[in-house]
Amino acid sequence: MVPITSATSSPTSLDWRFTVVKQESRQRYRITQTNTRALLPELFPEPPERSAVTPGRALSRAASVLIALVAGAVVLLLRVAGRSPLTTIWAEDRTVFLVQALASPWRLFSPYAGYLQLLPRLIAQFVSFLPLRDASAAFAISGAVIASAVALFVFHASAGHVRSGWLRALLAAAVLLLPIAPLEIADSGVNTPWYVLFALFWAALWRPRGGRGMALAALIAFLAGASTPLALAIAPLLALRIVALPRVREHAVTAGLAAGLLFQVPVIASARNSRVNRLSGADGVLDFVAHDVVLPALGWHLDWWLRSAVGRDDATLAVGGVLAAVFCAIAITQPARVRLLAAVALGCGFLLAVAAATLSRWVTTDAVHFHVEPGSRYTTLPIFLMEAAVIVAVDNIRQRARDRVRTDDQAPAFGVTPWTGWARARGATAAVTALVAVLSIGWITDFRSDNGRAGGTPWAPIANRWLADCQRTPQGSLRVPSLEVGSVVIRCSNLRR
């Protein structure tokens, strides 16, 4: 009788099993590639498990958060050059929200510019309860603190996508050091919704484990939706979330945005100055996206240096080419989760810029100057999301580089060899270095910039004049200018000394 060779001892059997493992791995990858719906949950990863926290560690963590919050606010207050933001009140904070809060307290749902702006009105309402002379500092500090709080939230909510603590710190710094922020949105109440949109994007990706986290995500979404209808730019991401995570408990953020928009819709419907009848043309919109979003994406000073060197159109092509190369590399080399996030980030940012330029025709026609960019607030989210997508990609490169070389005989089936480990480590170092270098261009050169506020009217003389007028007639009132409504009447009894 011919002996039968054991399958476990046959070299041919070992080769066969090795081939099966390799083919199964490749087949699983192909199936995952083609099943888009199966990939969607990867866009919403659960954050890493957190170890038990002792009372002492919890106190230390709370102190660290407070210090970071204050430090972030100080950084933002330092970013506006010229006259201190503590001594001036930016744009509608004075001419709309403060004077109307003093004239008609708690009328929070009045429209301005055709829509509801709940968060700026809330800030102005609380500022109106302070001594009048402190209003300028209160608006600036409120805006800086809210932006700093958004940076802390982004640091926490991005843990599922960015595992490296210091890269998450870099992402939080991108909120505070956004190159174009000093042009318009820094240190004011009226522009806090644009920072809240940064938080809304990450709240839409975040999967909080507890009720407090879900309540926070819902609050962020509600404030965003009730402060600007452009929060709808994040709606496609929330639609993907509904498909990927069908459980109701996963949609506190969706419910929050829906609630905010329910307040927004009737205000828009009742507004007298609707923008729908004054839409921009397609050419103007695309020009805005190219020259006001793409060109300054790497830095505002760099934008103008390139303009002076090669002209605006060639400068736009150069920066656009760099961005295209980066995102093509992400599409080719990164796994599904990173590719999906990059696509969603670009899509949401592009959607917001297109919608804003379409509804605000003046941003496509008014001249752009070094210290003034009409509608720069509409470019902040698209630029921030591009930076965020690249940081997520670099974090993934870094995580892959940390993989250790497998010691078993199946290592080649998974593409892991000593050479690949060495190459990944060098590639991760190069990616991190390039990321920090490119971000530093804008963060350093644009850290402190002049804007229209630098030469603005100081608040103290205005406040002193109002108080002096009311001192002569304590039971009287003041009539002061206010945008859209012409003027409002403020009772002297509503002014605090």
Side-chain angles (χ1 to χ4, degrees), residues 2-266:
V2 178
I4 300 175
T5 307
S6 171
T8 57
S9 61
S10 169
T12 304
S13 175
L14 287 175
D15 292 341
W16 177 82
R17 274 196 270 172
F18 179 84
T19 303
V20 168
V21 169
K22 188 172 181 178
Q23 290 177 345
E24 184 179 358
S25 176
R26 288 177 175 174
Q27 184 178 12
R28 187 162 54 245
Y29 177 77
R30 292 193 193 100
I31 293 173
T32 305
Q33 288 290 97
T34 57
N35 191 344
T36 304
R37 184 165 183 173
L39 289 176
L40 288 181
E42 296 188 27
L43 189 58
F44 310 96
E46 292 191 11
E49 290 283 352
R50 300 179 68 175
S51 57
V53 180
T54 63
R57 189 172 180 183
L59 184 62
S60 174
R61 182 175 294 174
S64 300
V65 168
L66 181 60
I67 292 171
L69 181 69
V70 173
V74 170
V75 166
L76 280 162
L77 290 171
L78 292 174
R79 294 202 61 194
V80 176
R83 186 169 284 125
S84 169
L86 298 173
T87 64
T88 61
I89 301 181
W90 177 253
E92 290 92 340
D93 278 340
R94 175 171 71 88
T95 58
V96 176
F97 302 125
L98 177 60
V99 296
Q100 292 182 13
L102 290 168
S104 304
W106 296 110
R107 292 189 62 182
L108 302 177
F109 297 95
S110 299
Y112 172 69
Y115 61 97
L116 174 62
Q117 302 188 39
L118 180 61
L119 183 56
R121 287 196 181 275
L122 273 173
I123 294 170
Q125 188 60 63
F126 287 113
V127 170
S128 72
F129 297 141
L130 301 175
L132 189 64
R133 293 186 181 90
D134 297 334
S136 58
F139 274 114
I141 292 172
S142 297
V145 168
I146 289 173
S148 183
V150 166
L152 286 172
F153 174 79
V154 168
F155 176 85
H156 178 72
S158 61
H161 279 285
V162 184
R163 297 304 176 95
S164 166
W166 76 266
L167 279 177
R168 278 191 287 128
L170 198 69
L171 181 59
V175 177
L176 303 175
L177 300 176
L178 190 70
I180 56 174
L183 290 174
E184 192 170 15
I185 71 169
D187 307 333
S188 67
V190 61
N191 287 311
T192 50
W194 307 108
Y195 282 110
V196 176
L197 289 181
F198 298 0
L200 176 60
F201 178 83
W202 284 104
L205 292 169
W206 185 36
R207 297 180 66 182
R209 297 183 183 280
R212 288 182 297 179
M214 289 187 285
L216 177 59
L219 176 62
I220 290 169
F222 173 78
L223 288 175
S227 300
T228 171
L230 290 176
L232 278 169
I234 310 299
L237 175 56
L238 292 175
L240 293 177
R241 184 183 180 100
I242 292 172
V243 174
L245 307 173
R247 295 175 60 192
V248 174
R249 73 175 306 276
E250 299 282 3
H251 297 291
V253 61
T254 310
L257 182 60
L261 292 173
L262 283 177
F263 283 92
Q264 186 72 252
V265 169

Side-chain angles (χ1 to χ4, degrees), residues 155-462:
F155 176 85
H156 178 72
S158 61
H161 279 285
V162 184
R163 297 304 176 95
S164 166
W166 76 266
L167 279 177
R168 278 191 287 128
L170 198 69
L171 181 59
V175 177
L176 303 175
L177 300 176
L178 190 70
I180 56 174
L183 290 174
E184 192 170 15
I185 71 169
D187 307 333
S188 67
V190 61
N191 287 311
T192 50
W194 307 108
Y195 282 110
V196 176
L197 289 181
F198 298 0
L200 176 60
F201 178 83
W202 284 104
L205 292 169
W206 185 36
R207 297 180 66 182
R209 297 183 183 280
R212 288 182 297 179
M214 289 187 285
L216 177 59
L219 176 62
I220 290 169
F222 173 78
L223 288 175
S227 300
T228 171
L230 290 176
L232 278 169
I234 310 299
L237 175 56
L238 292 175
L240 293 177
R241 184 183 180 100
I242 292 172
V243 174
L245 307 173
R247 295 175 60 192
V248 174
R249 73 175 306 276
E250 299 282 3
H251 297 291
V253 61
T254 310
L257 182 60
L261 292 173
L262 283 177
F263 283 92
Q264 186 72 252
V265 169
V267 175
I268 294 175
S270 64
R272 291 175 295 178
N273 56 342
S274 173
R275 302 187 184 188
V276 176
N277 298 325
R278 304 188 302 273
L279 301 180
S280 304
D283 291 344
V285 172
L286 293 177
D287 185 79
F288 175 81
V289 172
H291 296 130
D292 293 76
V293 176
V294 173
L295 179 53
L298 302 182
W300 185 245
H301 280 77
L302 178 62
D303 169 353
W304 285 86
W305 290 338
L306 290 173
R307 287 177 190 237
S308 63
V310 298
R312 189 178 72 159
D313 291 338
D314 288 341
T316 302
L317 288 174
V319 175
V322 171
L323 295 176
V326 169
F327 283 97
C328 283
I330 291 174
I332 294 171
T333 64
Q334 296 298 297
R337 174 183 62 84
V338 180
R339 296 199 306 271
L340 278 172
L341 187 138
V344 168
L346 289 176
C348 290
F350 180 79
L351 180 59
L352 183 138
V354 168
T358 301
L359 294 170
S360 305
R361 186 166 56 183
W362 50 273
V363 305
T364 67
T365 58
D366 289 1
V368 176
H369 305 286
F370 180 72
H371 297 298
V372 179
E373 181 190 20
S376 67
R377 58 188 178 274
Y378 302 137
T379 71
T380 53
L381 181 68
I383 292 175
F384 169 74
L385 292 184
M386 283 189 277
E387 294 180 350
V390 175
I391 290 173
V392 170
V394 170
D395 178 75
N396 181 71
I397 294 172
R398 180 182 173 277
Q399 290 296 324
R400 291 172 60 187
R402 296 183 63 184
D403 292 343
R404 296 294 183 262
V405 177
R406 295 173 61 97
T407 57
D408 56 53
D409 59 356
Q410 294 181 1
F414 296 92
V416 179
T417 66
W419 185 89
T420 57
W422 179 88
R424 286 178 179 177
R426 296 299 181 272
T429 301
V432 171
T433 303
L435 172 66
V436 173
V438 172
L439 290 178
S440 297
I441 294 173
W443 290 3
I444 293 173
T445 59
D446 296 318
F447 176 77
R448 189 168 169 84
S449 300
D450 290 331
N451 61 10
R453 186 176 191 165
T457 304
W459 169 245
I462 299 173

